[in-house]
Amino acid sequence: MYQPPHFREERLEIQHALIKAHPLGLLINSGEDGPNANAIPFLLDAGASPKGTLFAHVARANPQWRQLANDGRVLIVFQGPQTYVTPSWYATKQETGKVVPTWNYAIVQVRGTAKIIEDRDWLRNHVSALTARNEAPRAAPWAVDDAPETYIDSQLKGIVGMEIEIAEIEGKWKVSQNRPENDRTGVADGLEADQHTTEARAMAELVRAGGTKSY
């Protein structure tokens, strides 16, 4: 990943926080016919290995897992907040006019080797944990045990699990750190005034914090 020094985010806890806040990762590997990519929700166990371990599952009908059984090397991309930035928000536009549009974003890339898992108990525990993680905010969370056991068994037969110990992890927070302070203030104010979305608000907070805010 292209990494200008001022955009690099090396703190593991911040990288992990983005993964937990945006767990739908793009799982990429190199197959016989070229690159292959699938969007998959991941669970992160930060304490399972020095840089953390990711857990996921894919449909058994998805050929990617068979490719990974032969060569498990993967790249996983987790996308955080991202927004277009108009030069109209920069104070520099009024001063010199020497400005152009850009795009702000926060992103984490992970590399590791996928271990394929077909054990029924592992799969049951994994989908239960994944469900609990995402149902937790609901007033009446749904649980895997709410469905008939025979139905759950039939569903488990249709998936394959994977465990990926993180070997390399990179964070890139491109959030206007390279602009003068007045320009950064203009970007944050503009995002809050012009784009009434959760993502715009999240980016505005990152810009105001100079990229240091967690999730």
Side-chain angles (χ1 to χ4, degrees):
M1 175 164 62
Y2 171 58
Q3 274 279 36
H6 43 272
F7 295 148
R8 186 183 299 274
E9 175 52 75
E10 296 180 322
R11 292 169 297 172
L12 187 61
E13 69 274 16
I14 302 299
Q15 296 167 343
H16 282 178
L18 184 142
I19 292 174
K20 291 178 179 179
H22 303 273
L24 186 68
L26 188 63
L27 178 69
I28 305 167
N29 74 304
S30 181
E32 294 180 359
D33 299 324
N36 189 15
N38 284 283
I40 298 170
F42 285 86
L43 275 176
L44 170 66
D45 185 341
S49 61
K51 296 180 181 179
T53 299
L54 295 167
F55 301 93
H57 68 278
V58 298
R60 185 171 289 275
N62 184 339
Q64 190 173 29
W65 76 267
R66 296 188 186 277
Q67 297 171 356
L68 295 178
N70 295 323
D71 182 353
R73 291 175 297 176
V74 295
L75 168 67
I76 308 167
V77 180
F78 295 95
Q79 176 68 64
Q82 54 83 27
T83 59
Y84 170 76
V85 175
T86 172
S88 298
W89 291 335
Y90 293 151
T92 302
K93 176 182 181 295
Q94 310 303 324
E95 298 165 0
T96 69
K98 296 179 179 179
V99 292
V100 293
T102 191
W103 209 283
N104 276 4
Y105 56 87
I107 196 169
V108 169
Q109 290 190 2
V110 167
R111 295 181 188 272
T113 300
K115 174 185 175 184
I116 300 302
I117 302 173
E118 298 184 72
D119 179 74
R120 186 264 182 200
D121 291 339
W122 187 99
L123 291 168
R124 172 61 187 258
N125 290 335
H126 166 68
V127 297
S128 295
L130 183 63
T131 300
R133 169 78 165 78
N134 289 284
E135 288 282 336
R138 295 178 54 81
W142 183 89
V144 171
D145 290 340
D146 291 347
E149 193 65 25
T150 54
Y151 175 75
I152 294 300
D153 280 339
S154 69
Q155 296 298 298
L156 292 176
K157 292 175 182 177
I159 63 174
V160 175
M162 64 180 66
E163 176 181 322
I164 303 164
E165 181 177 337
I166 297 175
E168 299 177 30
I169 184 168
E170 286 188 280
K172 184 176 182 180
W173 265 237
K174 182 181 178 297
V175 293
S176 300
Q177 304 99 310
N178 59 325
R179 302 299 308 179
E181 182 178 353
N182 285 346
D183 285 357
R184 295 197 302 272
T185 298
V187 169
D189 290 346
L191 285 168
E192 291 173 344
D194 291 3
Q195 300 186 30
H196 305 291
T197 66
T198 300
E199 192 159 47
R201 290 193 296 272
M203 180 54 68
E205 291 181 8
L206 287 176
V207 172
R208 291 193 191 283
T212 62
K213 183 175 170 24
S214 183
Y215 291 86

